[in-house]
Amino acid sequence: MVINRSVVKRWIDVLIASLALLVLVPVGLLIALAIKIESPGPVLFRQLRYGRNRSSFYICKFRSMTVTESKGDFTQASRNDVRVTRIGRFLRRTSLDELPQLYNVLRGEMSLVGPRPHAIAMDDAFAEVISNFGDRHLVRPGLTGLAQVSGFRGPTEALEQIEYRVQHDRLYISKWSVLLDMQIMVRTVFALTGPNAV
């Protein structure tokens, strides 16, 4: 019996995301409490992103800012951004703000590994100036990706940075294998607190 590669990838996503959520429940509760104590507003931040085949979904994150730009125009976070809370700065440096996206993985909107989803306004703008940008939407977006572990994570302040990211995303899509996903997940552990974490 031949098993479709996308089915295998989905099985791995569900298994690892389920185990991770069970193990990290106490961590998530502590983060939620810290966010509520520090500043008013919701614990979770939800924002529309493009998924596979440009289908839209709400990505989930722990709120790390005093404002939540969930629709329309959007200003990406920068270094020393005054909107970022104290707990938010820690969450962003360690990527713990991304933990709720395990729920997006279980829902089938995201994968553990794939091109990182941008805010829709950013995607629409980049698609007009970068060739083959839309190839990123051929697969589910990921919690982490080849671009991120290769040094292209964090704010995209120059068009060249996005072009490099897209090159790595397209390379990942063309070379995908279970082994590649496992390698990227292991490398992600060492990239979590790198210089591009904001």
Side-chain angles (χ1 to χ4, degrees):
M1 180 178 67
V2 176
I3 300 177
N4 188 292
R5 294 195 316 164
S6 63
V7 173
V8 173
K9 184 172 174 65
R10 180 66 185 145
W11 284 350
I12 294 171
D13 282 345
V14 170
L15 176 62
I16 296 179
S18 299
L19 291 174
L21 278 171
L22 286 174
V23 170
L24 295 170
V25 163
V27 176
L29 291 174
L30 287 174
I31 291 173
L33 180 61
I35 291 171
K36 288 302 279 184
I37 289 173
E38 183 179 13
S39 62
V43 167
L44 294 179
F45 165 72
R46 296 171 71 246
Q47 187 180 60
L48 270 176
R49 303 285 170 103
Y50 285 134
R52 188 178 183 183
N53 298 323
R54 283 176 62 91
S55 59
S56 59
F57 71 98
Y58 279 99
I59 199 170
C60 295
K61 296 186 178 189
F62 282 120
R63 181 173 59 84
S64 60
M65 294 185 176
T66 55
V67 296
T68 54
E69 297 168 321
S70 57
K71 296 179 181 178
D73 292 339
F74 150 84
T75 305
Q76 66 175 320
S78 58
R79 300 186 195 287
N80 304 314
D81 197 313
V82 297
R83 299 171 299 167
V84 179
T85 62
R86 284 178 299 172
I87 184 64
R89 203 165 301 284
F90 169 75
L91 295 177
R92 296 175 78 90
R93 275 202 312 269
T94 57
S95 297
L96 287 171
D97 61 320
E98 312 285 1
L99 285 182
Q101 286 163 48
L102 290 167
Y103 176 67
N104 290 119
V105 173
L106 288 183
R107 284 173 56 90
E109 298 159 338
M110 293 180 66
S111 179
L112 293 172
V113 182
R116 281 295 295 162
H118 302 137
I120 281 182
M122 288 178 62
D123 261 11
D124 289 342
F126 291 139
E128 293 182 2
V129 295
I130 297 177
S131 59
N132 301 312
F133 184 85
D135 288 355
R136 302 177 77 251
H137 303 127
L138 293 173
V139 297
R140 289 186 181 95
L143 268 171
T144 185
L146 181 60
Q148 283 63 47
V149 299
S150 300
F152 302 106
R153 69 183 289 241
T156 49
E157 297 160 349
L159 188 61
E160 185 180 59
Q161 292 171 306
I162 281 291
E163 289 174 335
Y164 285 134
R165 186 178 289 183
V166 172
Q167 288 172 13
H168 283 75
D169 290 338
R170 296 182 72 231
L171 178 63
Y172 167 77
I173 293 168
S174 66
K175 300 290 186 182
W176 179 83
S177 69
V178 171
L179 179 59
L180 178 58
D181 272 7
M182 295 304 171
Q183 290 173 339
I184 290 171
M185 282 188 267
V186 170
R187 290 174 64 188
T188 296
V189 175
F190 298 98
L192 287 179
T193 56
N196 293 331
V198 296

